[in-house]
Amino acid sequence: MPDEAGGRAIVVAPDEGSAWIALQRNDIDDLARVSLADGGCLDELTPTGRASLVRCAGGLPALAPAGSNGSRSRMRIRRGSRTYFMENIRGPESDVGPISDQFLAATLNTTPPDGRPREPSSTELTFRFPCSWTPNEIHFAGAGVETSDGDLVHTGTVYDGRGLQPGGSFVGRRRPTTGEPLWVFRTDRAAVDLDADSKTVYVAFRNVELVALDVDTGIALWRGRVIIGTVPVLPTALTVAGPGRLLLGTGDGRILECVDLDRSPDVVHSGDCGRR
């Protein structure tokens, strides 16, 4: 299917016979439901505004409003009981004036039984709190997951007009109704994707680094570069496929299966990532 700028997401339908995919056409996020047997288009959907396709709890697809800042305001939260998004509240003097407040908001998932994602409305908000826990700090959104007890673990970057500064990228675990950070892990490189199991948060970064964090404390359990043979490989997508097992998408078009990642960072570096 034509995809001008590269699809942002794929969500396999609960019947596992089809999948919703996000396509980029003329800066519009078109959605299509395709057959996994032959690639035929079964349904199409064009959101009224920019939106992110996400996989919520139970495997159902949902649409999260993407805001006005493109990829920088997209929240891609997996397995959420809610649909999360960033919301910019502008000053009362002008609809296009500077951002006065920046919030992280959520709505309850309302995907119809037929599995066709719909756009949530502002009247469905379940909570709203400041994106940043530091006053006057502006955050850009990233990938994340909802833990089994409802907390939100997500990546992000700090914006101050000078580009990414040392310590300006973070992973944090937050309470779902107050935004209080339980822990924050900071680094100098922006994250590209995140996933987690019951014990470990796995984060892929733009400097080809893969980091494992303790899900309860945020302490780094190990960190290592993704290297195949002697060549560093840029991870572009990450999915937990089982205990100590990851699937990594790469910038050169490969899918890597990485196993035994509960042992040490050397596993990633020494080539336990096999090409698929």
Side-chain angles (χ1 to χ4, degrees), residues 130-183:
C131 284
S132 174
W133 50 88
T134 302
N136 301 318
E137 191 174 73
I138 297 176
H139 286 181
F140 287 156
V145 297
E146 185 179 295
T147 65
S148 58
D149 54 2
D151 286 350
L152 180 63
V153 180
H154 71 98
T155 67
T157 54
V158 177
Y159 173 77
D160 67 359
R162 299 177 296 163
L164 187 61
Q165 300 296 302
S169 175
F170 64 84
V171 181
R173 177 170 178 169
R174 310 176 71 174
R175 291 299 187 196
T177 54
T178 65
E180 174 191 0
L182 300 180
W183 53 258

Side-chain angles (χ1 to χ4, degrees), residues 41-65:
C41 184
L42 305 176
D43 194 3
E44 290 186 292
L45 174 65
T46 299
T48 59
R50 290 179 175 175
S52 296
L53 175 66
V54 295
R55 182 180 186 273
C56 297
L60 292 175
L63 288 176

Side-chain angles (χ1 to χ4, degrees), residues 42-235:
L42 305 176
D43 194 3
E44 290 186 292
L45 174 65
T46 299
T48 59
R50 290 179 175 175
S52 296
L53 175 66
V54 295
R55 182 180 186 273
C56 297
L60 292 175
L63 288 176
S68 58
N69 291 323
S71 61
R72 297 176 297 183
S73 58
R74 292 178 183 271
M75 291 204 76
R76 296 174 287 111
I77 308 301
R78 309 179 196 223
R79 301 188 296 277
S81 60
R82 307 172 180 88
T83 301
Y84 298 85
F85 58 95
M86 291 182 68
E87 185 178 46
N88 296 332
I89 307 299
R90 300 185 180 276
E93 72 284 354
S94 172
D95 289 339
V96 295
I99 296 174
S100 58
D101 292 292
Q102 185 187 43
F103 293 93
L104 196 156
T107 65
L108 290 176
N109 291 334
T110 55
T111 302
D114 63 4
R116 197 172 196 258
R118 61 178 290 272
E119 298 173 75
S121 69
S122 58
T123 60
E124 299 175 90
L125 287 180
T126 57
F127 67 77
R128 177 195 286 159
F129 53 75
C131 284
S132 174
W133 50 88
T134 302
N136 301 318
E137 191 174 73
I138 297 176
H139 286 181
F140 287 156
V145 297
E146 185 179 295
T147 65
S148 58
D149 54 2
D151 286 350
L152 180 63
V153 180
H154 71 98
T155 67
T157 54
V158 177
Y159 173 77
D160 67 359
R162 299 177 296 163
L164 187 61
Q165 300 296 302
S169 175
F170 64 84
V171 181
R173 177 170 178 169
R174 310 176 71 174
R175 291 299 187 196
T177 54
T178 65
E180 174 191 0
L182 300 180
W183 53 258
V184 178
F185 174 85
R186 289 191 176 270
T187 184
D188 300 340
R189 301 289 182 175
V192 294
D193 208 357
L194 174 151
D195 201 0
D197 55 29
S198 61
K199 297 180 179 180
T200 309
V201 178
Y202 299 96
V203 193
F205 291 92
R206 293 193 185 279
N207 63 340
V208 309
E209 188 176 38
L210 188 65
V211 177
L213 308 174
D214 183 276
V215 71
D216 294 321
T217 65
I219 294 174
L221 303 174
W222 54 257
R223 56 198 310 167
R225 301 176 71 203
V226 181
I227 296 179
I228 304 302
T230 60
V231 180
V233 179
L234 175 65

Side-chain angles (χ1 to χ4, degrees), residues 206-270:
R206 293 193 185 279
N207 63 340
V208 309
E209 188 176 38
L210 188 65
V211 177
L213 308 174
D214 183 276
V215 71
D216 294 321
T217 65
I219 294 174
L221 303 174
W222 54 257
R223 56 198 310 167
R225 301 176 71 203
V226 181
I227 296 179
I228 304 302
T230 60
V231 180
V233 179
L234 175 65
T236 57
L238 177 155
T239 296
V240 171
R245 178 172 175 259
L246 298 179
L247 296 179
L248 293 180
T250 70
D252 58 359
R254 292 184 287 185
I255 297 176
L256 308 178
E257 181 184 34
C258 305
V259 298
D260 294 334
L261 293 181
D262 54 350
R263 293 188 296 173
S264 75
D266 296 332
V267 176
V268 183
H269 189 81
S270 65

